[in-house]
Amino acid sequence: MPSTLLSIQVIPKTPNGENSYPYVDRAIEVIQQSGLKYQVNPLDTTMEGELEELLEVVRKMHEVLVEAGSPSIISQIKIAHSPAGFSMDTLTEKYR
């Protein structure tokens, strides 16, 4: 079982004040390509994995957004870590 959950909301600044959704889509593509379990939510995306690999995905997300032309990015991140393991399913199963 993975030891860490990481939820991230990226808020990219766009070069000409255009809609940021296409940039957010590119950031989510990085998560999809990572092979990690994830869930896209209305205001953030949650991933499961080991802390080091999750932080590497965050780094790649920022890199892709800069390459796409974003002059700056703010990311709001929440991390839940337990050596015994964490999963989205175990934390939310009683609500399903």
Side-chain angles (χ1 to χ4, degrees):
M1 178 179 291
S3 66
T4 308
L5 297 178
L6 184 146
S7 291
I8 183 167
Q9 176 189 31
V10 292
I11 307 166
K13 185 173 184 179
T14 57
N16 301 307
E18 66 267 28
N19 190 316
S20 64
Y21 290 156
Y23 290 82
V24 173
D25 289 342
R26 292 183 91 162
I28 292 171
E29 286 174 9
V30 172
I31 295 170
Q32 292 169 326
Q33 294 168 0
S34 74
L36 296 171
K37 183 175 181 180
Y38 68 94
Q39 179 176 314
V40 177
N41 303 302
L43 299 176
D44 64 12
T45 299
T46 301
M47 301 177 279
E48 289 181 358
E50 299 306 319
L51 182 58
E52 296 79 15
E53 65 186 342
L54 295 170
L55 293 175
E56 177 64 14
V57 171
V58 171
R59 186 194 64 75
K60 287 179 183 176
M61 291 168 72
H62 278 245
E63 189 175 272
V64 163
L65 291 173
V66 169
E67 289 171 2
S70 179
S72 65
I73 304 110
I74 295 172
S75 288
Q76 296 185 356
I77 297 172
K78 293 183 267 183
I79 297 173
H81 177 80
S82 171
F86 261 128
S87 78
M88 290 182 275
D89 293 335
T90 58
L91 290 178
T92 60
E93 63 189 6
K94 70 180 179 180
Y95 302 107
R96 294 176 191 227

